[in-house]
Amino acid sequence: MSESPGAGTLIGQQIRNQNRVFWRTPIAAFFTLAFPLMFLVLFTAIFGNEVNANGITTAQFFAPNLAVFAAVSASYTNLAIGTAMARDEGILKRMRGTPLPPWIYIAGRIGSATYIAAIAVVVMMAVGIILYGVQISWESLPASLLAFFLGVGCFSALGMFVAAVVPSDATPAVTNATLLPLAFVSDMFFIIENPPTWMEVIGDFFPLKHFAIAFREPLNPLQEGLQFEWGHLAYIALWGVVAVVAAARFFRWEQRPEKSRARSANDA
């Protein structure tokens, strides 16, 4: 009698399944991988790639920020949209009716989002290094890696929370309407000198700005040492814990009864 596969094997299978779904959706791959790269090309073309007052080039500032933006697109936007669609299409309900433990299926989705986020970050930083001369402080790379995993975990939990409370047809609008404006007020695209107080408060409150700083600053070649941004990392972790609790509280494996009845009426 053969032994049943372990949890690690099952999670790996789910990650591979979700990866196939991602690569079979060209628009998701475009907005996750190509869209942030377009920003890097445009920003360096518009502003040039000269050394600024802080002693770094334009690409040195934008490449890590856009790497974070791509990672959040993979973990927050794609995970929220894909999970909400799977729920409303009945896929989650069918999966829960199988012998596969539900937590393994969710872990597979989050693992796939982390894998895609890692690819997006590597591609962005590789393009920055090869084409725009971005330099990396390899000594402090562990600090950026810790920021990456904490940030992706936090935004994956936020994505699952959005999937739990927002219908699938509204999820793309909600995720984009929250991520893009937040990126502007979080100094991801531009650093605004003397911003309005409300803009600074919003940027400081949400975790995106802290994710960008915790990932970007250790890579700065002008910095010395490991450069762990412990304050920002702790804030990201706090948001992650709250998001996990909220997602677990409101997550549903089936669509709302009223929506199910409406779909049945439309089919009839």
Side-chain angles (χ1 to χ4, degrees):
M1 184 176 181
S2 61
E3 296 183 0
S4 58
T9 301
L10 293 174
I11 292 174
Q13 292 173 350
Q14 290 303 313
I15 291 175
R16 288 192 293 272
N17 291 339
Q18 295 303 322
N19 287 346
R20 284 195 291 268
V21 172
F22 174 82
W23 294 115
R24 289 172 182 172
T25 312
I27 190 169
F30 172 80
F31 278 103
T32 303
L33 301 175
F35 194 58
L37 283 173
M38 290 172 56
F39 275 124
L40 179 62
V41 174
L42 287 173
F43 289 158
T44 52
I46 293 172
F47 302 110
N49 198 27
E50 305 300 324
V51 177
N52 60 26
N54 295 321
I56 62 173
T57 63
T58 303
Q60 188 76 49
F61 171 77
F62 281 119
N65 279 0
L66 292 171
V68 167
F69 182 80
V72 173
S73 295
S75 56
Y76 172 69
T77 305
N78 290 351
L79 189 59
I81 294 172
T83 304
M85 290 181 61
R87 181 196 63 225
D88 289 357
E89 291 173 359
I91 296 174
L92 296 187
K93 180 180 179 181
R94 291 196 296 272
M95 286 300 302
R96 200 176 188 189
T98 68
L100 183 72
W103 73 269
I104 287 183
Y105 178 75
I106 297 299
R109 279 190 166 273
I110 295 175
S112 174
T114 304
Y115 175 79
I116 300 300
I119 291 177
V121 169
V122 169
V123 169
M124 178 64 68
M125 296 308 299
V127 170
I129 292 170
I130 295 170
L131 298 184
Y132 297 105
V134 171
Q135 300 178 27
I136 291 179
S137 174
W138 297 103
E139 179 186 4
S140 55
L141 186 60
S144 290
L145 289 175
L146 177 59
F148 169 80
F149 285 109
L150 270 180
V152 168
C154 172
F155 279 94
S156 293
L158 288 170
M160 295 300 292
F161 171 70
V162 171
V165 298
V166 178
S168 61
D169 52 0
T171 306
V174 169
T175 52
N176 288 311
T178 50
L179 177 57
L180 287 174
L182 190 58
F184 278 97
V185 302
S186 299
D187 298 336
M188 297 283 292
F189 300 151
F190 309 98
I191 293 182
I192 303 174
E193 295 184 4
N194 300 318
T197 302
W198 64 266
M199 184 180 296
E200 197 166 7
V201 169
I202 292 174
D204 290 340
F205 177 74
F206 288 99
L208 183 58
K209 184 176 183 178
H210 301 272
F211 185 7
I213 293 174
F215 180 82
R216 179 183 71 229
E217 290 305 313
L219 298 179
N220 188 340
L222 302 179
Q223 304 281 2
E224 296 182 357
L226 294 178
Q227 296 298 324
F228 285 95
E229 298 285 341
W230 293 115
H232 296 290
L233 292 170
Y235 196 77
I236 296 167
L238 176 62
W239 262 89
V241 170
V242 173
V244 167
V245 172
R249 169 65 179 80
F250 294 101
F251 190 79
R252 304 183 315 280
W253 291 85
E254 302 179 26
Q255 62 184 177
R256 291 184 177 88
E258 61 271 18
K259 183 163 185 176
S260 179
R261 288 193 296 269
R263 176 172 292 183
S264 300
N266 292 333
D267 292 342

